[in-house]
Amino acid sequence: MEIVMSAVIGLLFAVAVYLMFSRNILRVLIGTLLLSHSVHLILLTMAGLQRGAPPLLFLEAGSYTDPLPQALILTAIVINFGITAFVSVLVYRTYQEHKSVDLYDMRGAKDE
Amino acid sequence: MINKPNNMMFRVFIRLIAVVVVTFSIYLFFSGHNAPGGGFIGGLMTAIAILVMYLVFGVSTIKESLPFNYTYMMSIGLLLAAFTGIISWIAGYPYLKQFFDYFQLPLFGEVELTTALIFDLGVYLLVVGAAMTFILTIVEDDS
Amino acid sequence: MSNLIVLPILFPFIVGAVLVFFAKNSRAQRIISGIGSLILVGLSIYLAVVAYQQDTVILEAGDWSAPYGIILVLDNLAALMLLITSILAAACLFFAFGTISSKREKYYFYPFYFFLIVGVNGAFLTGDIFNLFVFFEVMLLSSYVLIVNGATKYQLRESFKYVILNVFGSALFIMAVAWIYSVTGTVNMAHLSERVAEINQPGIVTAIAVMFFIVFGAKGGLFPLYFWLPKSYYGPPAAIAALFGGLLTKVGIYAIIRMFTLIFHHEPSFTHKGLIVTVAGFTMFLGVLGAVSQYDFKRILSYHIISQVGYMVMGLGIFTPLAVAGAIYYIVHHMFVKTALFLLAGATEKVTGTTQIREMGGLIKSHPVLTWSFFIAAVSLAGIPPLSGFFSKFPIILSGFQEGQWVISAVALLVGLLTLFSMMKIFGYVFWGENKLTEKQSEVSVTKLLIPIAPLVAFSVILGFAAEPIFTYSLHIAEQILEPSNYVNAVLKE
């Protein structure tokens, strides 16, 4: 399972980096989204993929999962939600001001 | 954004769907803490329900029927969350310590109520506010 | 256990949240934020005293004991950083009152100003790597909002780069946390310190350490990841640029110091004396070269941030108590002086309406106080005795020679010379020379703006003349952080 996860993470990471190298800022935004997914998966995989019950209230399960990585990932997702919200608005505002989503067209703005 | 939508089926069904989504989001909100769910998920779901209504009935209609200031909602959420921690401080415990007890409520039976629920309510308000602010910022811009 | 140490995080948080309600009323915002920042200064002075008396104070949030719960740790280093942060924040805020446009004020300038302080203070206080990430994000998200505040074309474009670079940095941060968790099974810093010591820092842990160094280096503006800094600090208004220049990079440096003294300190010949010293050398040399080649007030100052970050990291890299004490002293000196210089640049811009130094000249006649404040801050930055810059560079370079690090020490001396050169370049162009000011410009009064700057310049002088007690304090801090068992025992209560 770890091998499959590694492959998935690698693929996501590659796609994310490819998108982030693009000139189109909308693609860069999507790249950051995929990037965050891939690092969350890294966090999950590196902490060890386990099966079992959540370690909450019930004591009869045979095995328990480690709750910490999940807590960390949830926190990271919430942060990522905030950042994505901000970056989307930033991309939109940039588009409005520059009338373009292409980074090449944004060079040499007059108010430098 | 669609300002004059004219889709009968969509309009009829959305009333049903919005109710189901909001109910489920409230369920998720209360089931949090000891089971999957919580303020963040619940808040996101509520935001989705509101957004779907925006999509169908148009911006101006929903603004009249749901006149929330989402920025203030975020701020109230933040204050609620911070305030929960202060309760435990006043009680002489470390910041953010949670207290819980079981209560017999009419209709619901035995319910566990915790101070963490207030914290979660803060998160819920924050998430609804943040999601709506960020989408409406883009939507309401006419230019 | 003391609930007090959550206040540097909680108090600005509440102030920021309350300020949201007054977003359209700039008068109320100014009153609340001004009082809030002053209370924060008082609070951090009190906490510094507490930390000095009790060495290490911890708070286990939610009563979950370490290493399981979230803990906040206040030691002398953290207390010192909190103190400087609050003073800088207050100074920049009062400067902002006089310079920031009301359009910017309405776009939640003050709330995010306080959320930024929440993030910075949290990063100083936390005792948990993942929480460090969370507070970094709080800080960065607020800094995104502040850096783009005003939304000019230039700001939007450069902020976009700044945001994307930092998002990538944060992704690397999570990866590093994932790796360290998978190797050691904990994210609590004290616990990590103990476990890394038990396994005697094998190669894989050193690799993770380098990863953390890259992450914090990108935030701190270290070679080769400093390229974003001069451009993005150029766009926002002076008050924000000053706060960022004085504060944000130093949070990255603080994290590096914390990590490499508390956790990853078992392989100093590779990590400290090899990697960190090399990076420090390149950082300061290339940074100062950038400054020498520029003719824009704010850009010169931004490049100087880079070169000076190099000194701090160099102090850590040499890794003797004297050098680390020098690095801490340097951080204190740099935060005051750099913020003062940025604010003075803002005041100059208010007079002349430009930041191009070749278009200015002769301010000494019309604005003598501004000129001499700049002169003091500039020579202090360059390291002329008896000002603070000298006493912060001296121990670092001295211990460099003592440890046989000849190359880096020579580079440091050369960089000091070039710093003096580029500061004198500004002084010569802007304040001396022929008077290029129009009648109207020379009558612009900056007295109000100089009030918040004056304490910062005064601190620089005091840090120089009262070098001994302050250096003794830095040495005390250095000895404390170079002995990780203090921290570990306080947190894990063994």
Side-chain angles (χ1 to χ4, degrees):
Chain A
M1 196 60 194
E2 275 80 2
I3 303 288
V4 180
M5 287 295 271
S6 310
V8 170
I9 293 163
L11 190 72
L12 273 175
F13 212 93
V15 173
V17 171
Y18 175 75
L19 285 171
M20 286 175 87
F21 282 155
S22 144
R23 276 158 44 187
N24 185 327
I25 52 175
L26 212 59
R27 287 193 184 198
V28 177
L29 168 64
I30 297 167
T32 59
L33 276 173
L34 287 178
L35 185 75
S36 66
H37 291 327
S38 76
V39 291
H40 298 157
L41 282 180
I42 288 181
L43 194 48
L44 190 71
T45 317
M46 291 302 285
L49 298 170
Q50 299 151 319
R51 282 160 182 273
L56 285 171
L57 290 181
F58 317 102
L59 291 174
E60 55 269 14
S63 64
Y64 293 99
T65 48
D66 183 358
L68 191 73
Q70 299 176 17
L72 301 189
I73 291 169
L74 182 63
T75 315
I77 288 175
V78 174
I79 290 170
N80 189 49
F81 166 73
I83 296 208
T84 309
F86 174 77
V87 179
S88 324
V89 177
L90 180 66
V91 164
Y92 180 71
R93 285 287 294 153
T94 312
Y95 167 69
Q96 268 190 326
E97 288 290 325
H98 285 273
K99 303 278 177 248
S100 166
V101 285
D102 195 324
L103 279 167
Y104 271 34
D105 296 342
M106 292 178 198
R107 286 178 305 176
K110 281 282 173 278
D111 56 352
E112 275 183 49
Chain B
M1 186 55 81
I2 317 153
N3 276 324
K4 282 187 184 170
N6 190 17
N7 194 325
M8 194 59 203
M9 291 301 279
F10 208 18
R11 284 189 152 208
V12 171
F13 274 100
I14 216 66
R15 291 165 210 250
L16 206 64
I17 290 170
V19 170
V20 173
V21 173
V22 170
T23 317
F24 189 59
S25 79
I26 292 169
Y27 163 75
L28 277 178
F29 169 66
F30 278 105
S31 77
H33 212 60
N34 288 334
F40 180 67
I41 314 290
L44 272 186
M45 246 179 143
T46 311
I48 288 172
I50 300 174
L51 272 178
V52 172
M53 289 197 287
Y54 265 99
L55 201 68
V56 174
F57 297 106
V59 176
S60 48
T61 324
I62 301 299
K63 272 217 135 164
E64 271 170 32
S65 49
L66 292 175
F68 297 131
N69 183 331
Y70 292 106
T71 327
Y72 287 1
M73 192 189 261
M74 279 163 79
S75 173
I76 292 168
L78 288 175
L79 287 174
L80 259 185
F83 168 74
T84 324
I86 298 177
I87 299 175
S88 49
W89 186 343
I90 293 167
Y93 289 98
Y95 186 71
L96 277 180
K97 179 172 173 62
Q98 69 143 332
F99 309 97
F100 62 92
D101 205 350
Y102 296 90
F103 295 94
Q104 287 292 339
L105 290 187
L107 234 65
F108 294 100
E110 195 184 60
V111 177
E112 182 196 10
L113 288 181
T114 72
T115 52
L117 198 67
I118 307 173
F119 185 88
D120 245 14
L121 183 66
V123 176
Y124 177 89
L125 290 176
L126 176 66
V127 171
V128 175
M132 293 312 296
T133 312
F134 122 69
I135 292 168
L136 289 184
T137 311
I138 296 179
V139 165
E140 284 181 344
D141 200 285
D142 289 331
S143 59
Chain C
M1 197 282 292
S2 166
N3 268 322
L4 270 177
I5 66 175
V6 80
L7 269 182
I9 303 172
L10 184 66
F11 180 70
F13 184 81
I14 292 175
V15 173
V18 169
L19 278 171
V20 172
F21 292 111
F22 300 97
K24 303 295 171 220
N25 181 347
S26 70
R27 196 181 152 76
Q29 276 193 315
R30 287 179 183 199
I31 294 170
I32 296 173
S33 56
I35 294 173
S37 70
L38 290 179
I39 294 178
L40 205 59
V41 173
L43 180 71
S44 57
I45 291 173
Y46 175 71
L47 284 179
V49 174
V50 169
Y52 190 72
Q53 286 165 345
Q54 308 182 12
D55 265 357
T56 313
V57 191
I58 69 161
L59 168 67
E60 293 167 335
D63 217 4
W64 294 91
S65 64
Y68 306 106
I70 292 168
I71 58 159
L72 299 175
V73 186
L74 178 82
D75 64 353
N76 278 316
L77 179 59
L80 178 67
M81 300 301 281
L82 287 180
L83 179 60
I84 311 171
T85 305
S86 62
I87 294 174
L88 292 192
C92 292
L93 190 71
F94 281 98
F95 187 85
F97 291 163
T99 50
I100 199 147
S101 65
S102 61
K103 183 189 152 218
R104 285 187 157 131
E105 263 181 344
K106 289 202 169 85
Y107 277 94
Y108 304 103
F109 171 76
Y110 296 111
F112 280 101
Y113 195 89
F114 278 88
F115 292 140
L116 181 86
I117 300 171
V118 172
V120 171
N121 284 352
F124 292 148
L125 281 174
T126 183
D128 178 302
I129 284 191
F130 194 78
N131 262 290
L132 185 65
F133 166 74
V134 173
F135 283 119
F136 257 91
E137 289 304 312
V138 172
M139 173 185 96
L140 287 172
L141 197 53
S142 322
S143 80
Y144 301 157
V145 178
L146 289 178
I147 213 166
V148 81
N149 190 320
T152 61
K153 278 186 176 182
Y154 179 84
Q155 270 183 306
L156 283 169
R157 190 188 63 203
E158 293 307 324
S159 319
F160 186 74
K161 294 180 195 165
Y162 173 79
V163 170
I164 295 303
L165 188 85
N166 277 305
V167 167
F168 197 81
S170 308
L172 294 184
F173 199 162
I174 304 182
M175 276 162 69
V177 171
W179 293 344
I180 196 86
Y181 182 69
S182 110
V183 173
T184 60
T186 179
V187 287
N188 181 293
M189 287 190 200
H191 206 205
L192 269 175
S193 170
E194 205 180 50
R195 288 207 171 160
V196 170
E198 271 168 24
I199 53 175
N200 206 16
Q201 196 171 344
I204 186 161
V205 177
T206 308
I208 297 168
V210 174
M211 186 76 176
F212 274 114
F213 185 65
I214 294 171
V215 171
F216 298 134
K219 317 253 178 214
L222 288 178
F223 170 83
L225 297 167
Y226 59 72
F227 52 86
W228 55 270
L229 194 147
K231 283 190 168 173
S232 40
Y233 283 12
Y234 177 78
I240 298 176
L243 188 72
F244 282 17
L247 206 55
L248 287 201
T249 47
K250 259 53 75 189
V251 183
I253 301 304
Y254 168 85
I256 290 178
I257 292 181
R258 187 60 94 200
M259 288 279 157
F260 283 86
T261 54
L262 181 64
I263 304 170
F264 307 114
H265 58 87
H266 302 280
E267 285 271 0
S269 62
F270 173 70
T271 49
H272 292 73
K273 297 199 163 76
L275 180 73
I276 295 182
V277 166
T278 317
V279 168
F282 277 109
T283 309
M284 51 184 155
F285 190 62
L286 293 175
V288 84
L289 281 191
V292 168
S293 69
Q294 292 288 328
Y295 282 94
D296 184 290
F297 207 149
K298 276 195 200 163
R299 288 223 168 116
I300 295 176
L301 295 179
S302 308
Y303 274 107
H304 275 301
I305 298 177
I306 298 167
S307 87
Q308 268 129 25
V309 159
Y311 277 103
M312 299 163 200
V313 184
M314 171 186 163
L316 172 69
I318 293 167
F319 208 50
T320 59
L322 186 65
V324 175
I328 292 164
Y329 193 105
Y330 204 105
I331 293 178
V332 178
H333 144 77
H334 174 91
M335 287 171 85
F336 284 128
V337 173
K338 183 55 78 181
T339 312
L341 283 173
F342 263 107
L343 293 180
L344 287 164
T348 319
E349 192 183 350
K350 177 128 183 169
V351 176
T352 60
T354 176
T355 54
Q356 289 292 329
I357 60 171
R358 280 185 286 202
E359 291 167 19
M360 307 182 207
L363 259 74
I364 192 164
K365 290 214 184 80
S366 51
H367 300 90
V369 184
L370 179 68
T371 309
W372 293 112
S373 317
F374 178 82
F375 184 75
I376 295 172
V379 294
S380 170
L381 190 78
I384 305 290
L387 295 166
S388 57
F390 173 74
F391 293 103
S392 50
K393 281 184 182 136
F394 182 67
I396 298 179
I397 296 174
L398 179 71
S399 45
F401 281 121
Q402 278 172 352
E403 290 287 301
Q405 300 271 7
W406 307 104
V407 182
I408 186 84
S409 309
V411 170
L413 286 172
L414 178 66
V415 170
L417 201 65
L418 289 173
T419 310
L420 183 63
F421 167 70
S422 85
M423 279 298 135
M424 286 306 108
K425 184 174 77 179
I426 300 183
F427 194 71
Y429 271 108
V430 178
F431 298 101
W432 271 347
E434 57 173 313
N435 197 337
K436 289 180 186 165
L437 295 179
T438 59
E439 285 277 304
K440 209 175 163 191
Q441 281 177 333
S442 51
E443 276 165 17
V444 177
S445 168
V446 288
T447 322
K448 263 188 189 168
L449 299 182
L450 287 174
I451 295 170
I453 306 176
L456 300 180
V457 177
F459 270 122
S460 163
V461 178
I462 294 169
L463 280 175
F465 281 101
E468 191 175 342
I470 297 164
F471 196 78
T472 318
Y473 182 52
S474 329
L475 206 59
H476 173 70
I477 296 175
E479 278 159 4
Q480 196 189 17
I481 61 173
L482 286 176
E483 190 51 66
S485 58
N486 293 327
Y487 188 99
V488 175
N489 290 344
V491 174
L492 300 176
K493 297 190 199 84
E494 280 161 6

